[in-house]
Amino acid sequence: MQVKTLPVLKKGGYQAAFFLQCIFLWWLTGTCLIHHSATASTAMTAEKIIVQAANARLAEKPTWALLLHVAGGKANIQNKDFLLSWPSFTLEQELFATIRFLYDGNETQVCRFPARYLWIREQIEAPELPIDACSDLREFKRRAPADEIAIVFASENLAQPSSMMGHIMLKLSGEVEKKHVEHAVSFITDVGGFNLPKLFYDSMVVGKAGFFTLAPYDEKLQLYLREEQRSIWEYVLELNSSQRELIQAHLIELKQSQLTYFFQNYNCATVVDFIISIGADQQLPIEGFWLTPKDVVKRAQAFGLIKESRVIPPNRWLIRAIGEQLQTAEREAIKQHVDRFEEIPSDSADINTAFIKLQLAKSYHGYRIESKRVTGTQAEAYSDFLKQVSEKTFKDKRLEAIAFKNPIDTPQDSQFAFGMVHKERTNFLRLGFTPASHHLADDNRQYFGETELLLFDISILKNVSTREVELDRFTVYGAKSFISRDSMSGGVSGAIAFGVEPQLDANFRSRQTTYLKGSLGITKRYWTDIDLTALVGLGASFRSGQLNIYAQPEIGIIVRELFDMKSIVSVVMSANALGDKSTYLKYRLVQSKFFPKQNVSLHLTAELENQNRNRQNWLELSIKYLF
């Protein structure tokens, strides 16, 4: 006997009709097609929701693209695991596929995309699904409550390629069984050593496996603040409970996904930016070549998401910041007392000075412990002693955080440069492009010391008369760090770079060479605005199949002046750079004038290269636009 499936009734009559269908089919066939009928019903429900979603134009809303990590029409997560419509992905097709996935009759599938479900239900009238039964989401909320969400910026560490522009992560805080807990959520990849060429290739071309980590926040503070001595900035976000719940649910979605880390366009900064933008329900365009951790902080500020900010400085930074308020003799006296675990003499005539001295002693002793200069029970006992003196003598006094060096106030870290160059009776136009970070001649007042970080920096010259174009220089990666040395915290300056640059041969002709060079040295600061530097460097150049090792020592002075200006004078010697035993000196002066509000700077550069009786000069006036 043939049996036809009865039509499914809608709304209130559905349950009664389904019951009658079940009895009728059982009488005819001995079975009740419960699963078949439920699937047909939820499929119809899904199609109805799709119609509502299409009418509401949900696929065009910014939050939907943010939940999918789509920017400028490009999907950053390109796999079927995360995008149900892949490879035929569109925002609309993914919306329809998600609704069918959620309402296809298997209610537990909501646990795969709980954030998408919460957002769709918030936008239109969709049936409720048992999201509270999702064990992973429930356990995540239990372990890492999000009564408060903050973004955390760890300052730059030029010694580590993965952190040379800083690191950004999320901090979730809340109460668990009447106990305040804090967790850090980070998107990271395995750096795999200091092989920079391989690291750039893997992370920019092939892509590396990316994954989320959930760890107690204090563990991250131990790593960044105490072990690596990097400043920590916390920015508490202005979010309501629904927004915090949506972000938590989205983190579970990402945790279950296969993610690929790309250094230039899908890294810790871009992922955190997508997540916090969900709370803003909008997406700002990326103005620079790529998004950096500092850009995320600035964008959160532009969104109006930052409710409050606070800085946690490392002891090494505090030593310098506090020490600048005391005389050299006073700093040395405190150092001697701490080195001998002695009581810090109190200046009863000036309680503020006494307080500053004690704070310097605490910071210096804390840094000695963190750097393992001192260990054992005596060091611990002395820490307790300083803490007790502080609480007893200065109970109502607090060390106010110094207002400068905030990532929000740093200049933009992509730039174009246009200049007029006069070189040996010939005029050139120079075009420079720095996709990410900054030059030593730029405004570095918001950095901890004078630094330079260049990624794929390129400079091109065009002869005004002949219109010929030549490569001036190309830096694949370059970093400089001039950290002033003091008796308490030490400080080593250094530089590393590789790329293509001109070198002079024995006949004083300029030859482009591929190079890799590094240097170490010392910087001494005077009167807070003058740095004297000295570096000893070695390099390896490669040209015409020949590898040469050469020496390149350097001395210089950096002066930070009034009216947003800075001067840099340096003398660099290159010896045997092309394997011909030639030696020449380069004298260089750069005078910079900054216009921070306009994101513009002016630079006057004068160079003189001298080899025996041969001389070559370079004079340039350029303007930079930072974006």
Side-chain angles (χ1 to χ4, degrees):
M1 178 185 298
Q2 286 186 330
V3 180
K4 295 182 178 180
T5 303
L6 297 177
V8 180
L9 300 180
K10 300 179 181 180
K11 296 185 179 179
Y14 166 70
Q15 292 180 342
F18 172 74
F19 181 71
L20 292 174
Q21 288 182 42
C22 186
I23 294 177
F24 181 65
L25 291 173
W26 177 82
W27 177 66
L28 291 176
T29 66
T31 60
C32 177
L33 303 180
I34 296 176
H35 180 71
H36 171 75
S37 300
T39 302
S41 169
T42 52
M44 178 173 288
T45 301
E47 296 308 315
K48 287 174 57 180
I49 298 172
I50 286 174
V51 172
Q52 293 183 60
N55 291 337
R57 305 177 75 171
L58 295 192
E60 300 176 17
K61 292 184 178 292
T63 300
W64 179 244
L66 293 168
L67 287 169
L68 304 179
H69 288 215
V70 172
K74 177 190 174 184
N76 287 282
I77 306 176
Q78 301 179 355
N79 58 67
K80 187 76 174 178
D81 167 56
F82 186 77
L83 294 180
L84 301 173
S85 61
W86 189 261
S88 303
F89 166 78
T90 66
L91 290 171
E92 187 176 57
Q93 288 301 319
E94 185 65 20
L95 176 63
F96 298 162
T98 298
I99 293 172
R100 293 189 181 99
F101 179 82
L102 294 173
Y103 291 95
D104 73 347
N106 185 354
E107 293 182 333
T108 61
Q109 292 186 162
V110 69
C111 298
R112 177 63 189 90
F113 294 114
R116 298 187 194 185
Y117 160 73
L118 288 172
W119 182 76
I120 290 171
R121 279 209 76 214
E122 188 180 71
Q123 303 300 311
I124 60 176
E125 294 182 6
E128 186 175 356
L129 295 175
I131 191 173
D132 292 337
C134 298
S135 57
D136 284 353
L137 180 59
R138 189 172 63 247
E139 178 65 11
F140 180 45
K141 288 183 174 181
R142 187 192 70 80
R143 288 183 56 197
D147 300 333
E148 178 183 278
I149 297 180
I151 52 177
V152 178
F153 174 78
S155 62
E156 300 85 356
N157 184 358
L158 296 184
Q160 295 185 1
S162 62
S163 301
M164 56 194 172
M165 289 191 289
H167 178 66
I168 198 158
M169 57 190 170
L170 292 174
K171 175 187 174 185
L172 309 182
S173 309
E175 300 291 325
V176 175
E177 298 176 353
K178 298 183 180 180
K179 181 182 178 181
H180 184 75
V181 295
E182 299 177 334
H183 286 84
V185 179
S186 300
F187 178 64
I188 60 176
T189 189
D190 180 19
V191 175
F194 201 77
N195 187 337
L196 292 178
K198 185 178 188 303
L199 174 63
F200 282 133
Y201 179 78
D202 289 346
S203 62
M204 301 188 73
V205 180
V206 179
K208 297 174 66 68
F211 49 91
F212 277 90
T213 62
L214 175 68
Y217 184 59
D218 189 62
E219 290 184 6
K220 293 296 183 181
L221 288 182
Q222 177 69 32
L223 172 64
Y224 295 127
L225 191 67
R226 302 179 183 97
E227 294 182 18
E228 298 183 359
Q229 294 294 312
R230 297 161 66 177
S231 296
I232 300 292
W233 282 88
E234 297 178 352
Y235 301 91
V236 180
L237 301 179
E238 185 75 68
L239 301 170
N240 58 40
S241 58
S242 296
Q243 292 168 329
R244 295 195 301 271
E245 182 183 22
L246 186 63
I247 287 175
Q248 274 190 301
H250 183 56
L251 289 172
I252 286 294
E253 294 179 350
L254 295 174
K255 181 178 178 294
Q256 299 178 73
S257 303
Q258 180 181 347
L259 306 177
T260 302
Y261 181 104
F262 283 95
F263 180 75
Q264 74 277 25
N265 58 20
Y266 197 68
N267 49 44
C268 68
T270 47
V271 170
V272 171
D273 188 69
F274 277 121
I275 293 170
I276 67 171
S277 297
I278 291 171
D281 192 25
Q282 59 177 308
Q283 187 174 22
L284 292 176
I286 297 176
E287 296 180 353
F289 186 71
W290 61 54
L291 196 70
T292 67
K294 286 184 178 179
D295 289 333
V296 177
V297 177
K298 295 176 182 180
R299 287 157 70 85
Q301 178 86 341
F303 281 138
L305 282 177
I306 296 179
K307 180 168 60 175
E308 62 177 284
S309 62
R310 46 186 176 252
V311 62
I312 309 175
N315 280 317
R316 190 179 184 188
W317 187 86
L318 281 173
I319 289 171
R320 297 169 183 272
I322 299 172
E324 289 180 356
Q325 303 178 54
L326 299 172
Q327 299 296 323
T328 301
E330 293 175 312
R331 295 197 300 269
E332 290 302 315
I334 292 171
K335 180 181 182 301
Q336 293 176 12
H337 287 300
V338 174
D339 287 341
R340 296 193 292 259
F341 300 106
E342 296 175 346
E343 183 177 354
I344 307 302
S346 176
D347 186 352
S348 58
D350 188 348
I351 189 171
N352 290 325
T353 300
F355 174 72
I356 290 173
K357 288 181 177 180
L358 183 61
Q359 296 306 310
L360 179 59
K362 288 174 61 179
S363 299
Y364 173 48
H365 184 61
Y367 178 64
R368 291 204 307 160
I369 292 176
E370 292 163 356
S371 58
K372 296 182 173 53
R373 296 182 184 180
V374 292
T375 58
T377 56
Q378 187 179 16
E380 294 177 3
Y382 191 63
S383 294
D384 293 337
F385 168 73
L386 292 175
K387 182 179 179 181
Q388 291 171 7
V389 172
S390 179
E391 292 176 349
K392 179 180 178 180
T393 310
F394 305 104
K395 183 178 180 181
D396 298 325
K397 291 187 73 65
R398 294 290 182 270
L399 188 65
E400 297 294 333
I402 297 178
F404 58 86
K405 304 191 188 303
N406 190 329
I408 291 178
D409 299 325
T410 56
Q412 295 296 99
D413 47 20
S414 295
Q415 57 182 256
F416 278 113
F418 177 79
M420 294 292 298
V421 175
H422 181 75
K423 178 182 178 182
E424 290 302 304
R425 301 192 184 99
T426 305
N427 294 321
F428 297 87
L429 297 178
R430 189 180 76 85
L431 181 64
F433 175 46
T434 306
S437 218
H438 59 283
H439 294 248
L440 190 65
D442 292 333
D443 186 357
N444 294 328
R445 288 173 293 183
Q446 296 298 330
Y447 291 93
F448 185 61
E450 290 288 348
T451 65
E452 176 175 275
L453 177 60
L454 307 177
L455 295 173
F456 306 105
D457 176 68
I458 187 170
S459 174
I460 295 174
L461 293 175
K462 181 180 179 180
N463 191 309
V464 175
S465 301
T466 65
R467 298 187 179 181
E468 293 180 351
V469 176
E470 62 181 88
L471 176 67
D472 176 34
R473 66 188 72 240
F474 175 57
T475 305
V476 178
Y477 169 72
K480 290 182 179 179
S481 178
F482 293 120
I483 303 298
S484 62
R485 184 173 183 82
D486 63 51
S487 60
M488 288 187 175
S489 62
V492 176
S493 298
I496 185 172
F498 69 92
V500 177
E501 71 175 2
Q503 296 282 359
L504 294 177
D505 63 14
N507 297 316
F508 212 60
R509 292 175 300 186
S510 181
R511 304 296 188 189
Q512 291 288 2
T513 62
T514 302
Y515 71 91
L516 171 63
K517 60 184 177 181
S519 58
L520 289 174
I522 190 172
T523 298
K524 192 66 178 177
R525 177 162 292 183
Y526 297 93
W527 303 294
T528 72
D529 292 320
I530 300 177
D531 292 348
L532 297 181
T533 66
L535 300 175
V536 177
L538 285 177
S541 66
F542 186 81
R543 176 178 170 81
S544 301
Q546 182 179 356
L547 178 66
N548 303 296
I549 305 299
Y550 61 95
Q552 196 172 67
E554 174 182 352
I555 59 173
I557 181 172
I558 303 172
V559 183
R560 291 165 292 276
E561 300 152 338
L562 297 174
F563 309 113
D564 297 319
M565 294 194 299
K566 179 165 74 173
S567 298
I568 302 176
V569 179
S570 63
V571 181
V572 181
M573 182 182 75
S574 292
N576 196 45
L578 294 174
D580 54 9
K581 298 182 181 181
S582 64
T583 298
Y584 67 92
L585 294 173
K586 177 187 285 187
Y587 304 89
R588 192 167 192 258
L589 165 66
V590 182
Q591 178 66 54
S592 303
K593 165 63 179 173
F594 311 119
F595 300 90
K597 294 182 179 179
Q598 290 76 28
N599 290 321
V600 170
S601 60
L602 293 176
H603 303 270
L604 177 64
T605 303
E607 291 183 1
L608 173 64
E609 293 173 314
N610 185 36
Q611 182 188 71
N612 297 325
R613 296 181 179 180
N614 297 316
R615 290 189 176 187
Q616 179 175 279
N617 58 63
W618 172 297
L619 185 63
E620 176 186 357
L621 178 62
S622 63
I623 182 171
K624 287 185 179 181
Y625 172 66
L626 289 73
F627 61 100

